[in-house]
Amino acid sequence: MRLFSMYGWVRRRHQLGMRGRSLLEAPWAAGAVLLLCVVVAMLLANLPATAVYYRHLLETDLSLKISSPDGVIDWVFPRGMTVEKFINDGLMVIFFFSVGLEIKREIVCGQLSSFRRAILPVLAALGGMIAPAIVFLSFNAGTPTANGWGIPTATDIAFAIGILSLMGDRVPVSLKIFLTALAIADDLGAIVVIALFYGEEVNLLLLAIAILILIGIYFLNKVGETRIMFYLVPAFVVWALFYYSGIHSTLSGVVIAMFIPMKPRYSKEYFARKMSGLSDALLKAECRADDFPNEEHRYYLRMMSSLATDSVGMSFRLEHLLAPYVTFLIMPIFAFANAGVSIDSLEYFRIFHVTPQAGAVGTGIFFGLLVGKPLGIFLASWLAVKTKLAEMPEGAGWKMLFAVACLGGIGFTMSIFVDTLAFADAEIVSRGKIAILMGSFASAVLGTVLIFLFSKKKTRI
């Protein structure tokens, strides 16, 4: 009886583990976790009992300090590193590294690997960056907040794809692929914008040293080096050089990702031959009925595991390894640290209100995301198809494409990141975050409603 009870317990644990894994792999799960972190951050930042502790946590100094009593030695690294800065300049490097790996994969062998595949989402992403920037500048040109034009140009892939997954078969698969490729091209565009327009004064000497190290990493890739430590250690040094050079340190993650080898250590033929030999040796090894795996078996299994691992390129392995940590740890932590806007009054929600200090930053961001983003995506796609430069996604119509384009107005992660870079005034940054949250929410609602309306109409036909 006890044996059956134990079996039932183990089986229930296994089922719970499978359900938990399925939940984490659900496309909508990432968006749900991000939304939860936004709500928690807003509550902590505005409840009287927690607001002080929330800000104190984010402002805690994390710099390593070494000093001597006589003051001769006074060394701090990294200088000015608080919890909030560690998240934005440290953890987000891993996020950008993961984005870089994804962009590289799509360019080499994915949806951006050929001209005909890439041209529609790339042009759509370009239109989806230019139009919201124009909308923002139409409200803020000539004001102190004009530098925030890059805020509404980004698309948050986690929220957008999460909402599409909830729509089921209402949206053609081709449009889901289109939005995914568009979001990846959009990420590449956002990275370029950050690099060119939101850096500080550049220390050319430190940048030159970083470039020399990157050249060394490039040659390591070319000679076939596949051991991760030869890339990990230089990556940390490049991050530190970027951090002090004036180029935003997160961009080091993207640059390093471009040099991570995609080619596996072993070929398919070598893998098949070695795996066959190890499999035969494993089957021939002595074994009693209750003695698997014994020490000899474990040796062969370890060899097979190592062989399988090295038969997948490092870039693919790292992307697969980092994906759950980036999705369910780094991005939620970023949302927790940056979405907690302290709202002193309801005036923060008056996004259409214009002030001498903040200009019309809220208006520009809100309409940039809600109006500029979908119009830019749609018009660029329409022009590309009508001029026969690209083909319409299979099974898709213009109305449904516009509905999906509205989901491109969900900025969130990258928009908030650019917002923290664009402005020095904490109040303007906070107003920008509120506008991002409201614009993203409105875009999500509009896109969802239009998908339901257009899919129902299609069903009746």
Side-chain angles (χ1 to χ4, degrees), residues 208-257:
I209 297 172
I211 291 173
L212 287 175
I213 294 174
L214 290 170
I215 292 172
I217 297 173
Y218 170 78
F219 282 110
L220 281 176
N221 188 336
K222 283 300 180 183
V223 299
E225 180 56 62
T226 58
R227 286 170 290 185
I228 192 169
M229 288 304 297
F230 282 86
Y231 297 89
L232 186 61
V233 174
F236 178 78
V237 177
V238 170
W239 169 83
L241 290 168
F242 271 48
Y243 182 82
Y244 284 107
S245 70
I247 297 176
H248 203 273
S249 56
T250 52
L251 298 179
S252 65
V254 181
V255 176
I256 291 293

Side-chain angles (χ1 to χ4, degrees), residues 101 226-228 261 263-265 308-323:
L101 292 175
T226 58
R227 286 170 290 185
I228 192 169
K263 187 177 180 181
R265 185 175 182 181
T309 298
D310 286 337
S311 296
V312 178
M314 187 192 302
S315 180
F316 297 104
R317 296 204 312 269
L318 286 174
E319 185 181 349
H320 178 74
L321 175 68
L322 291 174

Side-chain angles (χ1 to χ4, degrees), residues 163-351:
I163 291 175
L164 270 189
S165 70
L166 295 175
M167 298 295 103
D169 58 1
R170 289 178 178 272
V171 179
V173 174
S174 62
L175 279 183
K176 295 179 181 179
I177 295 172
F178 166 76
L179 184 61
T180 303
L182 182 150
I184 292 169
D186 191 281
D187 282 342
L188 180 58
I191 289 164
V192 172
V193 167
I194 292 170
L196 295 180
F197 301 102
Y198 293 103
E200 302 171 4
E201 187 177 347
V202 178
N203 184 317
L204 295 178
L205 175 60
L206 295 181
L207 180 60
I209 297 172
I211 291 173
L212 287 175
I213 294 174
L214 290 170
I215 292 172
I217 297 173
Y218 170 78
F219 282 110
L220 281 176
N221 188 336
K222 283 300 180 183
V223 299
E225 180 56 62
T226 58
R227 286 170 290 185
I228 192 169
M229 288 304 297
F230 282 86
Y231 297 89
L232 186 61
V233 174
F236 178 78
V237 177
V238 170
W239 169 83
L241 290 168
F242 271 48
Y243 182 82
Y244 284 107
S245 70
I247 297 176
H248 203 273
S249 56
T250 52
L251 298 179
S252 65
V254 181
V255 176
I256 291 293
M258 295 298 113
F259 296 107
I260 299 297
M262 298 184 75
K263 187 177 180 181
R265 185 175 182 181
Y266 302 129
S267 66
K268 181 176 71 172
E269 294 75 15
Y270 180 86
F271 169 79
R273 186 172 66 253
K274 290 290 290 184
M275 188 62 77
S276 177
L278 290 170
S279 180
D280 291 340
L282 177 67
L283 292 173
K284 291 176 183 177
E286 294 184 7
C287 178
R288 298 194 306 270
D290 59 346
D291 191 31
F292 179 82
N294 59 29
E295 185 175 351
E296 187 177 3
H297 297 146
R298 290 194 294 272
Y299 168 77
Y300 290 122
L301 289 171
R302 285 194 298 271
M303 292 289 290
M304 293 166 78
S305 176
S306 177
L307 180 66
T309 298
D310 286 337
S311 296
V312 178
M314 187 192 302
S315 180
F316 297 104
R317 296 204 312 269
L318 286 174
E319 185 181 349
H320 178 74
L321 175 68
L322 291 174
Y325 296 101
V326 169
T327 302
F328 295 104
L329 185 64
I330 292 174
M331 289 176 66
I333 289 175
F334 174 81
F336 176 81
N338 289 276
V341 181
S342 179
I343 303 170
D344 300 324
S345 69
L346 292 178
E347 184 182 328
Y348 274 65
F349 287 97
R350 296 170 62 191
I351 57 174

Side-chain angles (χ1 to χ4, degrees), residues 28-90:
W28 52 265
V33 172
L34 281 178
L35 184 60
L36 176 63
C37 288
V38 170
V39 173
V40 171
M42 290 291 287
L43 288 173
L44 291 178
N46 291 281
L47 290 175
T50 57
V52 174
Y53 298 105
Y54 175 77
R55 289 312 313 171
H56 180 71
L57 172 65
L58 295 179
E59 293 166 4
T60 301
D61 188 10
L62 292 182
S63 299
L64 177 63
K65 299 178 180 179
I66 300 176
S67 59
S68 60
D70 56 7
V72 175
I73 301 175
D74 188 13
W75 184 75
V76 180
F77 180 83
R79 193 172 298 278
M81 182 63 71
T82 61
V83 170
E84 185 174 13
K85 201 166 181 60
F86 172 75
I87 293 169
N88 292 344
D89 288 10

Side-chain angles (χ1 to χ4, degrees), residues 363-379:
T363 311
I365 293 173
F366 181 84
F367 284 113
L369 291 172
L370 182 63
V371 178
K373 196 73 177 175
L375 278 181
I377 293 171
F378 180 82
L379 290 176

